[in-house]
Amino acid sequence: MKQKLENGPKSANEFCLVILRNDLIKNGRVPDAFKDLLSLKGIKMVHGEMIMPTRSLMEKFCHKDDTWLIAAGQKTVNILRATQQPLKKDVLEYGYDILRSIIDYNTEGVFWALLLFGPDACARINKLVGDINPEQAGYGSMRAKYSSDSGYKAFKEARAIRNCVDCSESPSNSLFQVGLLWPGLNLNNLVSS
């Protein structure tokens, strides 16, 4: 990874990567999403690009460990048991099904990758984007406004929730993802002007 950001930003500023997925683009809601993101005081967009992701890129981008896979798979097992559906796989296998569906969803078409920068960007943008389950995302959050899927339905079907908006969980996660999407991007140049 060739990015540079010597000693990090000089304040509480940080980067946050936001993904606006293909279904948001198809529904013509990208301008609304941009408006939402740029409504956060002190947050500015420093880089953005439409990307046609490859499966190989998304496998690296969406890498999950066994703890995540087991937790995701357990949600499916819990819903199947609660609805008295048969269990056809173990928890980890259901977790892998969910991970594969995340990769499939991310490679259905182009998405907007936006790099935002500002004070406490990741925490503030995560709050604006809302809970991963659109039904629990909170009134006014981007996932509540723009996503139409349900966590219950997704986990019952052992697949990922189809969220049309995603963002980095932390500054370090953001830098990792940026390194995959834009190797060689000099972050210092983006914030020095």
Side-chain angles (χ1 to χ4, degrees), residues 76 80 97 149 152-159:
T76 294
L80 293 175
D97 288 346
D149 201 4
Y152 177 81
K153 182 178 179 187
F155 286 112
K156 186 174 182 185
E157 295 171 3
R159 63 170 175 80

Side-chain angles (χ1 to χ4, degrees), residues 11 44 46 55 60 63 104 111 113 130 150 152-153 163 182:
S11 67
K44 65 180 182 174
V46 294
R55 188 158 195 91
K60 293 173 190 156
H63 176 75
D104 292 344
F111 61 63
S150 121
Y152 177 81
K153 182 178 179 187
N163 277 313
W182 300 303

Side-chain angles (χ1 to χ4, degrees), residues 15 18-21 28 35 38 66 84 86 88 106 113 127 134 139 146 149 152 163 171 174:
F15 292 97
V18 176
I19 302 291
L20 305 178
R21 292 194 177 104
K35 183 178 174 185
L38 297 176
D66 282 353
Q84 299 178 340
K88 298 178 181 177
N106 276 295
K127 184 175 180 180
Y139 179 79
Y146 307 130
D149 201 4
Y152 177 81
N163 277 313
S174 182

Side-chain angles (χ1 to χ4, degrees), residues 3-16 42-47 115-119 121 174-175 178 185-193:
Q3 293 138 330
K4 293 183 178 184
L5 197 60
E6 290 88 17
N7 302 323
K10 301 284 186 245
S11 67
N13 289 330
E14 61 192 30
F15 292 97
C16 185
I43 299 292
K44 65 180 182 174
M45 188 181 330
V46 294
H47 193 74
L115 186 58
L116 292 102
F117 182 77
S174 182
L175 293 176
V178 166
L185 183 65
N186 187 319
L187 298 178
N188 283 320
N189 289 345
L190 297 177
V191 297
S192 62
S193 54

